[in-house]
């Protein structure tokens, strides 16, 4: 393990994340983990890491990091730092500073280090949950440790950059119409509500975070209340005001709002990259 | 009422026949995500038996199970056909497993909660009677949620059923013993909360420091599990 980065500024937000801690929901433990598995996996693959290795999850912009040791770094998702473009990796020299600036679209960016970031784990995940006694948030002066030494590029020592294949990159300015599966209470909603869910453009609310994204639009006719039951990430819960909340990684493990739908697993990575105040559309999956 | 009789009928039918060995699928299964099935199951004894079976002889490729109040989510590592789940449910279970009871915990409580007097006033009884109603009967851990290790306990005495506080507290202390709606609960850690606080306990529900150890079992990290019984013991 070697220190490779030092936090100079947290910007809008940053946290260590990995594949999360599924398996503990029945004790009330949220799954946590990276919001966009596709982008985090891409950053890791650029360095030959396991796709679920721990990465630095960056919210929007403003973060500053100092490189403490010559090392490869990979970036993917909605983040850019000077000459380090998203969906690419390059070699950095000790002393360089990364300053993250916003991309045109998207919310979350992922920075990977060789071997993944090494940090304490709770239930197998580096994701912290200070309120519940699991670690503390990153702050200025913290050093991030790489699990592996630097990459060896033996065949061509002059190679200083890697890029991801174009078809594996994503343009978050153009999300697809997201596919929905019927939720457990789908049949309890009036047909008009089921139609209205896919018949309008929803706006992602500014009141959205790692627990859930709220959607704004013409309210849906609600369904009868239910007893609290398990809630999976990607579920569209409809509270009394008729405006859906998409439950996400840090959200509650059980809930009492009827769930009209759940995003297809692959679609969640697109949804989380939809910025507040931008539109998202849904379609029923067949 | 009809629902109670239907449940009773199912329970008696099971006693008479082989357990879960019905030709028909006795449990409604509802798909939830590509790899989950929600199983309707509300009877406490049946739930306990199911939890025991899921812990000791789970269906193949089960990732985890999550109890709800009237159902249980069976989440698999990949999509699994309804028939496969139904076949596992229909498999006769070993009697020893069916009889395995959950653990019984006696939890000491100091009835010093800030809402004790208000609750007594709201339901028109003395503080002593509130304590008697709260500690007078054992509870089942119906599920855990809200925060790691937070148990939803039931049944709560009907006289103690109260709507949650109109304005939730921003900070409830760890170990707060509380009631909300038709459930009793205990806050494992400091958190916001809208339940009525009756008392406090030193009984530890969640040991996050143990969660860092790869070898730690669920019981080392969490004292309670769904299906356990809990009794509150008043202390001075």
């Amino acid at each position: 393990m070697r220190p490779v980065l030092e936090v100079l500024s947290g910007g809008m937000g940053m946290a260590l994340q990995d594949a999360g801690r599924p398996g503990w929901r029945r004790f009330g433990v949220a799954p946590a983990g990276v919001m966009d598995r596709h982008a985090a996996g891409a950053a890791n693959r650029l360095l030959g890491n396991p796709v679920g290795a721990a990465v630095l999850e960056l919210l929007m912009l403003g973060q500053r990091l100092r490189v403490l040791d010559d090392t490869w770094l990979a970036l993917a998702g909605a983040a850019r730092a000077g000459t380090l473009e998203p969906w690419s990796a390059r070699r950095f020299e000790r002393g360089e500073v990364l300053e993250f600036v916003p991309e045109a679209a998207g919310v979350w960016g992922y920075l990977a280090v060789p071997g993944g970031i090494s940090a304490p784990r709770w239930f197998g995940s580096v994701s912290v949950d200070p309120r519940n006694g699991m670690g503390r948030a990153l702050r200025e002066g913290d050093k991030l440790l790489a699990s592996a030494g630097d990459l060896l590029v033996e065949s061509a020592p002059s190679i200083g950059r890697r890029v991801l294949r174009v078809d594996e990159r994503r343009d978050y300015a153009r999300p697809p119409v997201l596919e929905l599966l019927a939720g457990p209470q789908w049949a309890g909603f009036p047909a008009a509500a089921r139609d209205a869910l896919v018949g309008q453009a929803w706006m992602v609310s500014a009141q959205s975070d790692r627990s859930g994204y709220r959607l704004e639009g013409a309210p849906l006719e609600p369904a009868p209340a239910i007893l609290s039951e398990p809630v999976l990430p990607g579920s569209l819960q409809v509270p009394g005001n008729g405006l859906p909340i998409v439950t996400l990684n840090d959200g509650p493990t059980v809930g009492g709002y009827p769930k009209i739908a759940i995003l297809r697993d692959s679609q969640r990575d697109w949804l989380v990259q939809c910025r507040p105040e931008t539109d998202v559309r849904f379609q029923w999956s067949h | 009422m009809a629902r109670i009789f239907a449940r009773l009928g199912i329970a008696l039918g099971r006693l008479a026949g082989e357990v879960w060995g019905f030709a028909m699928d006795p449990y409604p299964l509802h798909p939830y995500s590509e790899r989950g099935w929600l199983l309707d199951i509300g009877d406490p004894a049946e739930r306990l038996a199911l939890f025991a079976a899921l812990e000791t002889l789970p269906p193949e490729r089960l990732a985890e199970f999550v109890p709800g109040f009237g159902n249980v989510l069976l989440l698999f590592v990949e999509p699994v056909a309804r028939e496969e789940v139904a076949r596992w449910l229909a498999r006769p279970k070993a009697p020893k497993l069916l009889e395995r009871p959950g653990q019984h915990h006696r939890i000491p409580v100091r009835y010093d909660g800030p809402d004790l007097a208000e609750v007594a006033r709201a339901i028109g009884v003395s503080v002593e009677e509130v304590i008697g109603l709260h500690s007078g009967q054992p509870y089942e851990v119906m599920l855990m949620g809200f925060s790691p290790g937070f148990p939803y306990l039931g049944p709560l005495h009907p006289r103690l059923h109260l709507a949650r506080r109109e304005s939730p507290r921003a900070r409830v202390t760890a170990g707060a013993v509380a009631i909300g709606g038709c459930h009793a609960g205990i806050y494992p850690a400091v958190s916001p909360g809208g339940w009525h606080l009756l008392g406090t306990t030193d009984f530890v529900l969640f040991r996050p420091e143990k969660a860092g150890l790869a070898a730690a079992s669920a019981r080392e990290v969490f004292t309670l599990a769904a299906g356990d019984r809990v009794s509150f013991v008043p202390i001075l």
Side-chain angles (χ1 to χ4, degrees):
Chain A
M1 284 188 293
R2 61 192 177 107
V4 286
L5 293 167
E6 180 185 348
V7 176
L8 299 180
S9 166
M12 278 190 70
M14 60 161 61
L16 300 184
Q17 293 292 347
D18 51 23
R21 49 178 69 95
W24 295 89
R25 288 180 169 92
R26 71 177 185 277
F27 297 102
V29 180
V34 295
M35 292 290 273
D36 181 345
R37 297 156 297 175
H38 167 267
N44 274 322
R45 278 189 293 123
L46 279 162
L47 298 182
N49 297 341
V51 291
V55 292
L56 187 62
E57 184 175 81
L58 305 154
L59 173 60
M60 304 285 284
L61 75 159
Q63 301 83 2
R64 292 176 68 238
L65 302 167
R66 179 187 289 129
V67 177
L68 299 176
D69 190 15
D70 294 359
T71 189
W72 279 77
L73 297 172
L75 188 64
R80 176 184 296 270
T83 56
L84 182 60
E85 292 178 12
W87 315 108
S88 77
R90 79 162 170 89
R91 195 147 189 282
F92 281 78
E93 284 178 9
R94 183 180 170 174
E96 284 188 73
V97 173
L98 290 87
E99 296 200 32
F100 289 89
V101 295
E103 277 282 272
V107 178
W108 307 99
Y110 295 91
L111 184 72
V113 307
I117 296 169
S118 177
R121 290 165 188 267
W122 293 267
F123 301 106
S125 170
V126 299
S127 181
V128 302
D129 180 352
R131 178 175 281 170
N132 289 302
M134 294 187 265
R136 62 161 177 83
L138 286 175
R139 56 188 178 217
E140 288 170 24
D142 282 348
K143 294 180 170 61
L144 306 183
L145 305 176
S147 301
D150 202 12
L151 299 193
L152 299 174
V153 188
E154 291 160 353
S155 55
S158 61
I159 290 179
R161 189 159 178 266
R162 290 178 175 183
V163 293
L164 202 70
R165 275 170 38 180
V166 173
D167 60 351
E168 292 182 59
R169 305 178 201 176
R170 284 186 173 176
D171 176 5
Y172 300 122
R174 280 196 290 275
V177 178
L178 303 180
E179 292 175 58
L180 299 174
L181 300 169
Q185 286 77 42
W186 178 86
F189 282 88
R194 292 165 351 204
D195 291 344
L197 180 61
V198 296
Q200 63 175 307
W202 294 91
M203 196 179 76
V204 176
S205 159
Q207 290 185 349
S208 298
D209 57 23
R210 284 184 45 93
S211 296
Y213 279 22
R214 290 166 184 268
L215 303 178
E216 292 172 3
L220 303 178
E221 241 180 288
I226 58 164
L227 295 174
S228 281
E229 63 176 35
V231 183
L232 290 171
S235 297
L236 275 71
Q237 302 193 72
V238 183
N241 67 5
L243 298 177
I245 301 169
V246 188
T247 307
L248 292 168
N249 306 29
D250 290 354
T253 53
V254 292
Y257 295 132
K259 297 170 286 296
I260 191 170
I262 180 167
L263 285 164
R264 268 195 178 281
D265 193 51
S266 62
Q267 308 289 284
R268 207 163 78 231
D269 295 334
W270 278 108
L271 176 89
V272 298
Q273 293 286 12
C274 293
R275 267 191 202 169
E277 319 269 294
T278 63
D279 283 353
V280 56
R281 281 183 170 275
F282 301 108
Q283 59 181 322
W284 291 110
S285 175
H286 299 292
Chain B
M1 197 49 129
R3 226 169 122 194
I4 293 170
F5 278 122
R7 284 235 173 100
L8 194 62
I10 290 171
L12 289 174
R14 279 225 186 88
L15 278 177
E18 67 177 315
V19 178
W20 292 336
F22 283 35
M24 274 170 40
D25 176 8
Y27 297 108
L29 285 163
H30 312 281
Y32 183 24
S33 85
E34 287 105 322
R35 55 190 182 95
W37 290 96
L38 271 174
L39 167 68
D40 288 345
I41 181 167
D43 178 79
E46 290 174 14
R47 287 166 64 88
L48 192 57
L50 179 69
F51 298 158
L54 286 167
E55 295 230 12
T56 52
L57 289 168
E60 276 178 41
R61 289 172 290 155
L62 185 77
E64 58 183 307
F65 68 92
V66 194
F69 282 119
N71 55 20
V72 175
L73 172 65
L74 306 179
L75 192 63
F76 293 86
V77 297
E78 60 188 0
V80 165
R82 179 194 299 264
E83 294 69 35
E84 201 175 318
V85 182
R87 251 200 317 278
W88 181 84
L89 290 167
R91 224 175 41 169
K93 305 292 186 289
K96 201 169 144 197
L97 285 181
L98 291 175
E99 286 160 16
R100 197 188 82 157
Q103 296 184 8
H104 192 168
H105 310 268
R106 283 171 186 80
I107 298 182
V109 181
R110 289 181 301 277
Y111 283 91
D112 57 3
D115 299 331
L116 197 57
E118 199 182 311
V119 167
R121 246 195 328 273
I123 65 172
V125 301
S126 68
V127 162
E128 289 68 30
E129 283 170 294
V130 170
I131 296 170
L133 290 169
H134 183 255
S135 61
Q137 59 187 41
Y139 299 86
E140 185 200 325
V141 180
M142 303 185 74
L143 59 84
M144 283 194 249
F146 177 65
S147 70
F150 185 104
Y152 283 78
L153 306 170
L156 179 66
H157 194 287
R159 294 200 64 183
L160 290 176
H161 292 193
L162 286 174
R164 289 164 199 198
R165 287 168 56 84
E166 278 188 12
S167 60
R169 286 188 172 83
R171 189 178 189 279
V172 172
T173 54
V177 174
I179 56 173
C182 56
H183 295 104
I186 308 164
Y187 288 85
V190 174
S191 76
W195 288 24
H196 306 273
L197 310 181
L198 302 186
T200 47
T201 183
D202 299 327
F203 193 85
V204 176
L205 299 173
F206 175 38
R207 296 173 198 83
E209 70 281 4
K210 300 265 188 191
L213 311 172
S217 70
R219 283 287 186 188
E220 289 174 78
V221 183
F222 297 102
T223 312
L224 307 180
D228 282 2
R229 278 160 301 146
V230 163
S231 296
F232 291 115
V233 181
I235 54 170
L236 295 175

